[in-house]
Structures are given as structure tokens and as C-alpha cells.
Amino acid sequence: MRHLLTIGCSLGEGPSWDATTSTWLFVDITQALVHRLDPVSGELTSFTPGMECSAVVPTACGRLLLVGFDRLLLCDASGANIHDFGAPFETDPLIRMNDAKVDSRGRLWAGSRDKERAGRARLFRIDAEGTSTVMREGVNVSNGIGWSPDDATMYYIDSLTYSLRAFDFDPVAGELGASRELCSFDPSTGLPDGLSVDEAGIIWVAHFGSGTITGHTPAGEQVGVHQLPVPNVTSLAFGGAEGTEVLVTTARYRMAEAEIAGSPRSGDLFIDDWGVRGVPTHPFIVG
């Protein structure tokens, strides 16, 4: 992986490719910042939505949909004209929203995390009007979400289970069917975090704590690994002009000064071209 941008995010997360503007989007959760990076000019623009946001996704109408602390926010591409979209998800301040992805029909899938790790978090599906439906309960830390190239399987990570699950997926109805554990991770490999899927069907998982990204077949076999020079890898997304570039977000969250000194690029952005396209990034469709 090539070092792309020195930014020192406290908790860089939620990367996505905005095909309309040919730019990368990502957030720094604990600093309550939303970032846009132009890969050609290198220009970085940022704004604060006034609350922590765990993900940002483009919409079909050119605006941005932000996953806030307990609700969704809709705003202009610049961050102006921000307002709530739909009703709040959670009322308990110890449960906040986390990772999110848009499916092929333009619906958002977003999960929450339970700070007490008591299994009270959930996974939601949000439609064009902002209506949310609970799709999974009993979650601790909802994280990586992605779909197979044929759209028949949804992949999902609840980080504290140290496993990657696969669900039968109905893309028309947006429903989950039978699930199975695809593979499990030894805690020594770090906490499984965000994920992305390539067009060959390989599921790439970021590991927070070990500085690695591992690749797994739909049968669960590990077939690849990428090592980064920082410990806390949070997520990754495919994009770029050909769809073969991979942007990786990292964090220096809860790292001591001595740890940061030993890994000074913690919190920065990294990029590589893996020679295979990712499953396309879909914009959220606003009703």
C-alpha cells in the first residue's frame, strides 16, 4: 500500500467513491469531520456537520447522506443546508451508529454499536423516504457490510464475534435469508472492521490492531493479505477512474504518544491499485 495523504485522523472511517465528482469521501468520526479528496489535484475539502458521523455516502441527486451519532443527515455536497433525514435510530446515548453501505437498489444499510458491548445494537435498512427497518438485533459492534458480485449474498461483520458472516440476499425485496459463518478470526489478527468486495468475489477485511487487510473467498478461505505500516486499519473502498484503486482509512484512536511516534503515519490515507475492480459503489436514492 502506498501512503497517500498525511492527515492524522483520530478515527478515519467510512471511505466511499463518489463517481459523479470522481472524488473520495471519508470521515474522521471523533473529530466530527467529513472529508472529500480529489485524487487528481490532491485538494482536500472538509466540513463539520455538528456531530460525530461514522460514514458518508453520495446520493443520486448529488447531495451527501451522513450517518450521524444517532440519525441520518442530508446535506449539499459542500456540507451546506444540512438537516435530519428520517427519525433517529437510537435513544440510548451508549448506542451510536457505525458503518454503512448502499445496496444495488439504492437503499442504505447502517448498523449501530453498543459501547457497553451488551448486544443491544442493531442493523437497519433505510429506504428512499428515510424509513428504517430493523434487519438484525443482538449486535455488539456493527461493522463491515458488502455484497457479492451477483448480488445474491450480503457479507456482514459484528466485530466482537471475530467472524465474517454471509447472508442469502434478496436484492429486490432487500431481505436477508439464511446466514452462515464464512470464517472466524483469531483475536491476535485484530478486530475485524470494515470490508469491501471485488468483482472476482474476494471479500477484503480491514483489521483494527494488526495493520492488515485479509482477502477471503466466498467459501471462507484466506487467499491474500496486505500489510500496512500502521496498526489500526479501519476500512477500505474500491474506486478511481477504472474502479481498481483501493483507498484505506486508518486511525490513531486511543494510541499513546509513544505508539504514534513509532507509527507516525497512523490516521493517514493509503492507496493501491489491485488490478481488479470492486463491486460498484451505489449512490443512495432519495425519495
Side-chain angles (χ1 to χ4, degrees), residues 1 13-18 23-26 56 99-101 145 194-198 204 206 213 233-240 243-249 269-274 276-281:
M1 303 297 298
E13 260 287 7
S16 63
W17 174 251
D18 184 348
T23 56
W24 293 103
L25 298 166
F26 65 101
V56 51
D99 206 0
K101 289 282 179 67
I145 303 168
L195 69 80
S196 195
V197 185
D198 68 31
W204 296 95
I213 298 169
V233 183
T234 57
S235 193
L236 66 153
F238 283 88
T244 57
E245 293 183 350
V246 180
L247 185 78
V248 179
T249 50
L269 292 185
F270 295 81
I271 199 165
D272 201 357
D273 191 318
W274 288 356
V276 60
R277 290 184 177 88
V279 171
T281 298

Side-chain angles (χ1 to χ4, degrees), residues 38-286:
D38 185 323
V40 175
S41 68
E43 181 184 10
L44 179 73
T45 56
S46 310
F47 68 88
T48 177
M51 70 168 65
E52 292 184 359
C53 287
S54 55
V56 51
V57 298
T59 70
C61 61
R63 289 181 282 178
L64 296 178
L65 186 67
L66 312 177
V67 181
F69 187 92
D70 62 351
R71 68 195 64 201
L72 295 179
L73 303 170
L74 193 63
C75 65
D76 293 344
S78 65
N81 299 317
I82 191 166
H83 58 85
D84 288 0
F85 181 72
F89 295 101
E90 307 284 8
T91 56
D92 188 330
L94 294 177
I95 303 177
R96 70 164 178 80
M97 297 304 293
N98 208 41
D99 206 0
K101 289 282 179 67
V102 178
D103 68 21
S104 63
R105 305 305 169 103
R107 298 166 296 221
L108 184 75
W109 294 70
S112 55
R113 63 174 296 176
D114 182 353
K115 289 189 175 182
E116 292 189 333
R117 301 185 172 189
R120 299 174 301 161
R122 299 178 288 178
L123 175 67
F124 302 88
R125 187 194 68 218
I126 300 94
D127 66 19
E129 305 300 329
T131 303
S132 64
T133 302
V134 176
M135 304 303 295
R136 188 167 175 83
E137 297 187 282
V139 175
N140 286 293
V141 180
S142 185
N143 252 317
I145 303 168
W147 289 268
S148 60
D150 65 3
D151 223 12
T153 305
M154 190 180 95
Y155 300 109
Y156 179 67
I157 290 173
D158 178 351
S159 291
L160 293 186
T161 66
Y162 288 93
S163 67
L164 170 64
R165 297 198 69 82
F167 290 83
D168 292 342
F169 183 68
D170 180 341
V172 176
E175 295 291 345
L176 299 178
S179 72
R180 61 195 182 281
E181 182 181 277
L182 203 63
C183 59
S184 60
F185 305 105
D186 189 287
S188 65
T189 65
L191 202 68
D193 203 327
L195 69 80
S196 195
V197 185
D198 68 31
E199 285 192 339
I202 304 301
I203 309 105
W204 296 95
V205 179
H207 296 264
F208 190 99
S210 68
T212 58
I213 298 169
T214 57
H216 306 267
T217 69
E221 177 187 3
Q222 183 173 322
V223 292
V225 62
H226 295 273
Q227 185 70 47
L228 282 85
V230 297
N232 298 327
V233 183
T234 57
S235 193
L236 66 153
F238 283 88
E242 302 299 324
T244 57
E245 293 183 350
V246 180
L247 185 78
V248 179
T249 50
T250 69
R252 52 178 58 187
Y253 183 67
R254 293 184 176 176
M255 291 178 67
E257 290 186 9
E259 293 176 302
I260 295 173
S263 301
R265 289 180 170 175
S266 293
D268 290 355
L269 292 185
F270 295 81
I271 199 165
D272 201 357
D273 191 318
W274 288 356
V276 60
R277 290 184 177 88
V279 171
T281 298
H282 302 286
F284 180 75
I285 297 175
V286 181

